[in-house]
DNA sequence: GATAGTTTCATACAAAAGTTTGAAATGCAA
DNA sequence: TTGCATTTCAAACTTTTGTATGAAACTATC
């Protein structure tokens, strides 16, 4: 087994386990057992458990951010430098939702791992997560540009709520399924993304979002 | 020190610590040190670490649910048995947000502990959290009654998104503060509740664009 | 104030954790 | 092949974990 294969096997196994249990609950022995490698391999290749976690997080975060940016840039290009709100939100919500609810086991684990990591309290992760704010700043700026008439504080709240819906949908999909008696279809990725985007978009633009073609415009609503 | 004082001291200390770190990261020795009691006291009074956690969760969950129900019933009484949507949402979001962002340290810890527990993967908590769905069912029913013309699936999604916003606001308020450069005022409890309620309410009442209904469901490939 | 029942305390214990070690195995160039 | 560097392996080490124990301290009733 080449050195790269071992590292990859460890990263993949760790990701899979961290997707379902928290950092403290997954032992190195669990990871190496799942990866089929020796216990000492982790410390040999990564140095420590913390460094393994850090490398794993950086790897997955950069993959997710790359996909988000690609969509964001495409949206900006399509709008001559200024993307519209829905496109921005779609670039934010699309990748994690698709990753998580698609058939691809590997990417599903990645997205679940990321959302779990975002609530992790262990120092090595916290530090990286905080640095990860910078990638959200890009989205905040895009939204601010797309909504010049809107107060900045409202835009930030809108972004915040969008992230909330994305995360909850990934981590608590089971509860929703149970609560709704299987009424909510969590396999219909496009529908989920659309729900998040249109609700968030509505909050940001302050009026009903012109999401799709159907639906004659009803009376514009006033805030209560 | 009476027996009750010791139990309370342990519960309070545990709650405080669990509010900031996860279950696996807080040791019994941390708890007893913070509580100023002997190590053996935990096993003497609660039986085990798991049972301490269970009792703590039940205690706090019942306090939170009680407050939510009180507000819900008041809203229903005010509407002659049928509360309006905003009042229902306010009963759901008000208590945890007020608890968490108010000046009361004790209740703040309680709310933070509850939201942390909701993502906990350790079996004793998972089991209780799942049983806690029943208390959400009450809110789902109230919303369904308040929105008879709305499709059930949309109501469940609205409830889901409301819970998402509540949780994110409690757990990730720091990120929002930083991201917005202190623009978002997280001390203004009423404003926050109003933002959540009005966004969720618009999503539920359908003034926001609903998800497209022309979906031709693609082959729902389950993951596994 | 003696006694029975609680509660506290210091301490011990086994299990599990992350890490280290040194030898064996492997890969690769000369 | 030989020689050297890299990688793997089984085993041991140290620390920390949750739990158990038995004596001491306390409380309340008689």
């Amino acid at each position: 087994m080449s050195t790269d294969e071992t590292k990859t096997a460890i990263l993949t196994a760790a990701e899979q386990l961290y997707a379902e249990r928290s950092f403290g609950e997954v032992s190195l022995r669990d990871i190496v057992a799942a990866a089929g490698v020796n216990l000492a391999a982790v410390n040999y290749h990564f140095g420590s458990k913390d460094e393994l976690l850090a490398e794993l997080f950086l790897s997955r975060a950069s993959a997710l951010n790359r996909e988000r940016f690609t969509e964001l840039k495409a949206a900006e290009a399509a709008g001559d430098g200024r993307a519209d709100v829905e496109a921005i939100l779609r670039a934010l919500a699309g990748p994690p939702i698709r990753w998580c609810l698609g058939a691809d086991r590997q990417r599903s684990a990645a997205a679940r791992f990321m959302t779990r990591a975002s609530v992790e309290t262990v120092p090595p992760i916290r530090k990286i997560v905080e640095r990860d704010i910078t990638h959200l700043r890009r989205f905040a700026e895009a939204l601010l540009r797309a909504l010049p008439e809107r107060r900045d504080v409202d835009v930030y709240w809108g972004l915040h709520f969008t992230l909330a819906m994305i995360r909850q949908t990934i981590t608590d999909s089971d509860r929703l399924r149970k609560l709704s008696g299987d009424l909510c279809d969590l396999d219909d990725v496009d529908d989920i993304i659309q729900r998040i985007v249109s609700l968030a978009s509505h909050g940001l633009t302050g009026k009903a979002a012109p999401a799709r073609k159907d639906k004659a415009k009803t009376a514009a609503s006033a805030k209560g």
Side-chain angles (χ1 to χ4, degrees), chain A residues 67-218:
Chain A
E67 193 155 323
R68 278 177 160 169
F69 282 152
T70 301
E71 291 195 24
L72 178 61
K73 272 184 230 148
E76 283 172 344
D80 275 331
R82 177 179 296 191
D84 73 278
V85 176
E86 287 216 13
I88 297 169
L89 295 175
R90 209 177 301 275
L92 191 66
I97 296 291
R98 269 198 303 273
W99 281 23
C100 209
L101 302 158
D104 189 340
R105 281 264 299 281
Q106 184 53 42
R107 299 174 105 196
S108 165
R112 287 180 184 277
F113 163 73
M114 288 298 297
T115 51
R116 175 162 301 286
S118 75
V119 296
E120 200 63 66
T121 59
V122 69
I125 278 289
R126 278 250 66 82
K127 224 161 55 183
I128 306 177
V129 168
E130 278 170 26
R131 214 188 53 193
D132 204 47
I133 292 190
T134 59
H135 115 265
L136 283 181
R137 247 179 248 289
R138 276 282 322 257
F139 280 88
E141 287 161 12
L143 285 173
L144 289 168
R145 263 198 306 276
L147 295 159
E149 79 286 353
R150 203 82 172 123
R151 285 185 9 217
D152 287 9
V153 60
D154 294 331
V155 173
Y156 285 114
W157 274 107
L159 177 56
H160 169 78
F161 288 144
T162 309
L163 296 169
M165 293 187 277
I166 295 169
R167 185 172 98 180
Q168 185 93 335
T169 302
I170 290 173
T171 59
D172 262 357
S173 56
D174 270 356
R175 184 174 67 177
L176 175 59
R177 210 193 307 262
K178 269 182 211 155
L179 186 64
S180 72
D182 270 314
L183 221 59
C184 294
D185 183 2
L186 288 156
D187 293 323
D188 190 346
V189 174
D190 292 333
D191 175 65
I192 295 171
I193 296 173
Q194 184 57 36
R195 284 178 185 278
I196 294 173
V197 167
S198 83
L199 180 52
S201 158
H202 172 266
L204 279 165
T205 55
K207 56 175 180 270
R212 283 285 205 256
K213 55 274 170 177
D214 54 358
K215 200 65 171 189
K217 187 164 63 170
T218 56

